[in-house]
Amino acid sequence: MQSIIIANTLYKDNCHTRKGYIIHGLCTKGNAVVRFNEQEFRLHPNDSFIFVQSEHTELVSKSNDFSAIVVYVLTEFCELATPLSNYGMRGGLMLFQNPIMSLNKIQAERCQKNLEYIALRLQEKKHRFYRDLLLNAVQCMIIDFFDFHADLYGETEISEKTATLVQGFLSMLNEGNYRKHRKVSYYAQMLHVSSKHLSETVKRYSGFPAIYWINRYTTLEISRLLRNPTLTLQDIVEMLSFSSVSYLSRFVKQHLGFNPSEMRK
């Protein structure tokens, strides 16, 4: 599996061919609509973007002149390249909600140079320190994205203790714990803090309490499963540890605004 893939557009098949990658890019021309985590976002020139889960990203539409510089970085490689700064924790939470950052002309030029530099160095496979070379190039890109994000949202840092707590919570969600555990108390117990402390800490740095993220991950998973015609509602109930189809239906109605059966008509 390639650590880095370069493209000049976004693909409609990210969920299949680009699974496991974090998408970094810059819209250079035209416009496009991208669906990320069941929300639609519009890209315009000088809009940078980071889609943290490529399998949850879908190109809905684009203008005929749409062009972008896109760098797909394998999640594990991206983690190695991420600098030792806890700022990324806050940025990651906020990017989950809004992956688009509108840049000014100078920032956009800097972003484009970073993306093009990665593409350039990717070709130097005979370089004796090829992997370190690419890690360095990706890290430079990430640091500038941190800077762009701080300009938009402020420079609030997260302490080491808080970063560890938030990272632990997110790691448990990314590992799929929400499929069996949807109470804040479970995550708080596993992280050795009170439910109130966990929820308030997560809200302070993401704008939403812990239960929001638990339900968000769950509803996204349900939406994906409902689109699979080979799965029955009972299958989904069992996969996500709901007590019954009726309870699943109530959950979907509350958080998505429709009954599961309506989505399959």
Side-chain angles (χ1 to χ4, degrees):
M1 199 170 187
Q2 292 176 264
S3 296
I4 300 173
I5 299 173
I6 306 296
N8 60 2
T9 188
L10 288 162
Y11 296 101
K12 291 190 175 183
D13 59 352
N14 284 322
C15 58
H16 302 294
T17 61
R18 301 291 185 267
K19 185 175 181 180
Y21 287 86
I22 298 176
I23 306 172
H24 306 76
L26 177 73
C27 175
T28 56
K29 190 177 180 182
N31 60 78
V33 175
V34 181
R35 184 178 294 115
F36 175 66
N37 285 337
E38 306 303 318
Q39 296 184 70
E40 291 189 355
F41 300 90
R42 183 172 291 276
L43 288 171
H44 302 93
N46 291 348
D47 281 351
S48 66
F49 49 88
I50 302 177
F51 298 110
V52 294
Q53 294 170 311
S54 57
E55 60 268 33
H56 301 168
T57 307
E58 177 186 359
L59 178 62
V60 177
S61 64
K62 62 179 180 177
S63 62
N64 291 332
D65 61 341
F66 174 69
S67 179
I69 304 174
V70 186
V71 176
Y72 293 78
V73 184
L74 197 64
T75 299
E76 293 81 359
F77 193 86
C78 204
E79 289 174 351
L80 287 174
T82 299
L84 298 176
S85 168
N86 290 333
Y87 183 85
M89 184 66 58
R90 177 173 181 256
L93 283 169
M94 298 180 77
L95 285 170
F96 191 90
Q97 281 298 105
N98 184 4
I100 310 300
M101 291 183 284
S102 296
L103 307 182
N104 59 40
K105 183 179 179 180
I106 294 175
Q107 290 172 327
E109 289 175 353
R110 195 189 338 159
C111 183
Q112 183 168 342
K113 286 179 181 178
N114 283 335
L115 297 169
E116 291 175 342
Y117 182 71
I118 293 173
L120 179 67
R121 303 317 294 263
L122 192 63
Q123 301 174 29
E124 300 181 29
K125 296 183 179 180
K126 293 184 179 180
H127 196 292
R128 290 182 176 83
F129 307 99
Y130 184 63
R131 182 176 172 81
D132 290 329
L133 179 72
L134 294 182
L135 283 169
N136 180 269
V138 171
Q139 184 176 87
C140 185
M141 173 190 71
I142 292 172
I143 289 173
D144 274 338
F145 270 121
F146 280 5
D147 188 53
F148 302 151
H149 193 273
D151 274 348
L152 286 171
Y153 300 107
E155 300 181 33
T156 303
E157 279 283 350
I158 302 179
S159 68
E160 188 71 31
K161 185 176 181 180
T162 298
T164 300
L165 177 60
V166 176
Q167 180 62 64
F169 175 64
L170 290 179
S171 293
M172 292 175 74
L173 291 177
N174 287 324
E175 289 167 4
N177 280 252
Y178 61 88
R179 296 187 182 100
K180 291 186 177 181
H181 305 284
R182 285 181 285 276
K183 291 185 177 180
V184 176
S185 57
Y186 167 79
Y187 297 88
Q189 182 179 2
M190 296 299 292
L191 295 168
H192 309 292
V193 295
S194 69
S195 297
K196 181 180 179 181
H197 179 68
L198 175 61
S199 192
E200 289 180 348
T201 300
V202 173
K203 183 176 182 179
R204 190 180 310 131
Y205 293 101
S206 72
F208 298 92
I211 189 62
Y212 169 86
W213 294 106
I214 297 169
N215 290 335
R216 182 71 174 142
Y217 272 76
T218 304
T219 53
L220 289 172
E221 181 80 350
I222 291 173
S223 296
R224 288 192 293 272
L225 295 175
L226 285 173
R227 290 197 293 269
N228 185 341
T230 66
L231 296 175
T232 66
L233 292 183
Q234 185 58 42
D235 290 333
I236 297 174
V237 163
E238 294 173 1
M239 292 172 72
L240 295 179
S241 304
F242 281 94
S243 58
S244 64
V245 170
S246 61
Y247 184 70
L248 170 67
S249 297
R250 289 197 300 273
F251 184 92
V252 173
K253 181 68 175 178
Q254 178 183 354
H255 295 284
L256 293 176
F258 57 81
N259 293 316
S261 55
E262 294 175 1
M263 187 173 181
R264 295 191 153 187
K265 289 181 181 180

